[in-house]
Amino acid sequence: MFDTFVNFFKTKEVRNKIFFTLAMLVIFKIGTYIPAPGVNPAAFESQQGSQGVTDLLNTFGGGALKNFSIFAMGIMPYITASIVMQLLQMDIVPKFTEWAKQGDVGRKKLNNVTRYFAILLAFIQSIGMAFQFNNYLKGALIVDPSPMSYLLIAIVLTAGTAFLLWLGEQITQYGVGNGISIIIFAGILSTLPSSLIQFYQQAFVGQSDTTIAWLQVAGLVIGLILLTMGAVYVLQAVRKIPIQYAKKQSAQRLGRNATYLPLKVNSAGVIPVIFAMAFFLLPRTLTMFFPKADWAQQIANTANPSSNIGMVIYIILIIAFTYFYAFVQVNPEKMADNLKKQGSYVPGIRPGEKTKKYITKVLYRLTFVGSIFLAVIAILPILATKFMNLPQSIQVGGTSLLIVIGVAIETMKSLEAQVNQKEYKGFGGR
């Protein structure tokens, strides 16, 4: 492992990308400490720990919500917009469906629409957030609760989200890995110390008998190790479908490593978990405008993974998004066509439509295992928090750990691919 990190810094281009990414993350972290104009962050701090999904938003934002900073909205509006746009591409909006089939040109058009939609969502959510927290804190959050103050805060928070999107694009283009995922990754890690402090204060400070607390610590450490091992195993597990070539020379040219078709057990990665949490934020944001209405409170309670109904909805959303995103990542029809064009086939399966159905069936089975795994891992911290009287940070931390592991694995693979690519180029140049 140490040699792998050394190799990353030996290559100048990869080293520059790592430093550029770190510089962008420093800018992101500095922004989380700059409060929005006209707010009193000290009053907001007393609100933390009782909002459920809002705690997750604070974690993803690197503590920006706790400080009610210019990055308080984070990039969750963009994730919500991405979910909606991908659903609309499924023959709901013909124009979007047409763009989705146009390759890079259509993808750029869809990305632009997604950004504009994310900005609109961020503006609406920022007004609702400021309105809700100011009411909850009895006017202590916003210094001058006038319409212009709300408008100014909404504009600043929306601009903060837009800046984070730009920052993510810069990381994707000039840095390491997917920029949006890296920002979420950095936000989660930056809030880890405060989560540990919160757990220590609740479990040990002022307690005469700390035996139960130490047993909880031991259980959490063991659970953390098992969770990490299981996540790494499932996220990297691959089903290898054997492939044969009609022409012998094709097989010799491609080599033995190309004689199978790799399908991941969990092709969607940790995206379904992020999508499911983002999906909960939208109805909760809308209810922020009606804090005293009974129906709004009922919706807010339902859209909370900690409640019984919310937990069931959470599981269903994770499974549904896992299947949805798996088939977005892996297109059985296109895969079957590519095999046919290459003169290859799955033994015992006819090329074309039969191969497509076979790959689809295998993908359904693999995705079922992957979706159940994600759902179980996501709800275990929630159950532990409810039945073991653990702090809210543990519930959020379990979901966050899954995201951190997934992003770390994908980033490591990206770095290794870039290092190998430079080595191949160097060999060819000599």
Side-chain angles (χ1 to χ4, degrees), residues 97-259:
T97 306
E98 180 183 344
W99 287 350
K101 298 178 181 178
Q102 291 179 356
D104 291 337
V105 176
R107 193 176 300 112
K108 290 180 180 178
K109 295 179 181 178
L110 289 171
N111 288 338
N112 288 333
V113 176
T114 304
R115 293 189 191 98
Y116 294 140
F117 186 36
I119 297 302
L120 177 62
L121 282 179
F123 183 77
I124 296 173
Q125 290 180 355
S126 59
I127 294 178
M129 182 183 296
F131 187 75
Q132 181 204 33
F133 285 122
N134 192 56
N135 283 342
Y136 186 84
L137 296 173
K138 299 179 181 179
L141 177 62
I142 300 178
V143 178
D144 178 24
S146 63
M148 289 303 298
S149 296
Y150 283 110
L151 181 61
L152 177 61
I153 292 173
I155 292 175
V156 171
L157 296 186
T158 303
T161 297
F163 181 79
L164 287 181
L165 293 181
W166 177 83
L167 209 65
E169 291 176 355
Q170 299 306 302
I171 294 175
T172 302
Q173 186 173 358
Y174 302 108
V176 176
N178 181 279
I180 300 298
S181 299
I182 293 296
I183 290 176
I184 295 176
F185 176 86
I188 292 173
L189 290 185
S190 66
T191 57
L192 181 61
S194 61
S195 299
L196 294 177
I197 292 174
Q198 180 184 351
F199 174 73
Y200 172 78
Q201 291 176 342
Q202 179 171 326
F204 292 95
V205 175
Q207 302 292 334
S208 57
D209 186 6
T210 59
T211 304
I212 297 179
W214 282 113
L215 290 176
Q216 287 181 342
V217 170
L220 289 174
V221 171
I222 295 174
L224 178 66
I225 295 174
L226 294 177
L227 173 63
T228 304
M229 292 174 59
V232 172
Y233 178 78
V234 173
L235 290 175
Q236 296 196 100
V238 174
R239 163 74 186 277
K240 299 179 180 179
I241 300 177
I243 299 295
Q244 291 185 0
Y245 294 86
K247 297 179 180 180
K248 185 177 180 181
Q249 60 270 24
S250 298
Q252 293 174 347
R253 184 173 67 252
L254 293 173
R256 292 183 178 180
N257 291 334
T259 56

Side-chain angles (χ1 to χ4, degrees), residues 122-409:
F123 183 77
I124 296 173
Q125 290 180 355
S126 59
I127 294 178
M129 182 183 296
F131 187 75
Q132 181 204 33
F133 285 122
N134 192 56
N135 283 342
Y136 186 84
L137 296 173
K138 299 179 181 179
L141 177 62
I142 300 178
V143 178
D144 178 24
S146 63
M148 289 303 298
S149 296
Y150 283 110
L151 181 61
L152 177 61
I153 292 173
I155 292 175
V156 171
L157 296 186
T158 303
T161 297
F163 181 79
L164 287 181
L165 293 181
W166 177 83
L167 209 65
E169 291 176 355
Q170 299 306 302
I171 294 175
T172 302
Q173 186 173 358
Y174 302 108
V176 176
N178 181 279
I180 300 298
S181 299
I182 293 296
I183 290 176
I184 295 176
F185 176 86
I188 292 173
L189 290 185
S190 66
T191 57
L192 181 61
S194 61
S195 299
L196 294 177
I197 292 174
Q198 180 184 351
F199 174 73
Y200 172 78
Q201 291 176 342
Q202 179 171 326
F204 292 95
V205 175
Q207 302 292 334
S208 57
D209 186 6
T210 59
T211 304
I212 297 179
W214 282 113
L215 290 176
Q216 287 181 342
V217 170
L220 289 174
V221 171
I222 295 174
L224 178 66
I225 295 174
L226 294 177
L227 173 63
T228 304
M229 292 174 59
V232 172
Y233 178 78
V234 173
L235 290 175
Q236 296 196 100
V238 174
R239 163 74 186 277
K240 299 179 180 179
I241 300 177
I243 299 295
Q244 291 185 0
Y245 294 86
K247 297 179 180 180
K248 185 177 180 181
Q249 60 270 24
S250 298
Q252 293 174 347
R253 184 173 67 252
L254 293 173
R256 292 183 178 180
N257 291 334
T259 56
Y260 63 84
L261 181 66
L263 290 179
K264 287 186 175 181
V265 173
N266 184 17
S267 303
V270 295
I271 296 297
V273 179
I274 301 176
F275 276 14
M277 296 308 302
F279 199 84
F280 273 127
L281 285 176
L282 188 56
R284 289 177 67 90
T285 300
L286 297 177
T287 59
M288 290 177 181
F289 293 97
F290 309 95
K292 297 182 180 180
D294 293 336
W295 62 267
Q297 187 63 38
Q298 187 175 358
I299 292 177
N301 293 335
T302 303
N304 188 341
S306 299
S307 65
N308 295 332
I309 299 177
M311 189 182 302
V312 174
I313 296 175
Y314 186 38
I315 294 173
I316 294 174
L317 285 175
I318 290 177
I319 295 175
F321 279 127
T322 304
Y323 273 98
F324 171 74
Y325 206 76
F327 280 88
V328 170
Q329 294 291 97
V330 181
N331 189 331
E333 183 178 0
K334 187 176 181 180
M335 195 173 289
D337 289 340
N338 289 337
L339 291 175
K340 189 175 182 180
K341 291 177 182 178
Q342 295 172 1
S344 56
Y345 61 94
V346 179
I349 307 295
R350 287 187 177 183
E353 187 65 23
K354 293 288 186 180
T355 301
K356 172 194 168 184
K357 291 182 179 180
Y358 175 76
I359 295 176
T360 302
K361 183 175 70 173
V362 173
L363 188 59
Y364 266 117
R365 293 177 177 177
L366 293 177
T367 305
F368 175 77
V369 176
S371 63
I372 296 300
F373 164 78
L374 288 180
V376 170
I377 295 300
I379 66 170
L380 278 179
I382 300 177
L383 296 176
T385 304
K386 292 181 66 174
F387 294 110
M388 297 177 62
N389 193 28
L390 297 175
Q392 186 72 25
S393 58
I394 300 300
Q395 172 182 322
V396 177
T399 305
S400 302
L401 177 64
L402 186 60
I403 296 172
V404 166
I405 294 172
V407 174
I409 291 175

Side-chain angles (χ1 to χ4, degrees), residues 64-86:
L65 184 59
K66 181 179 180 181
N67 302 319
F68 214 85
S69 76
I70 57 176
F71 294 158
M73 288 303 306
I75 56 175
M76 295 306 287
Y78 176 77
I79 296 176
T80 305
S82 300
I83 299 171
V84 175
M85 287 299 298
Q86 290 188 8

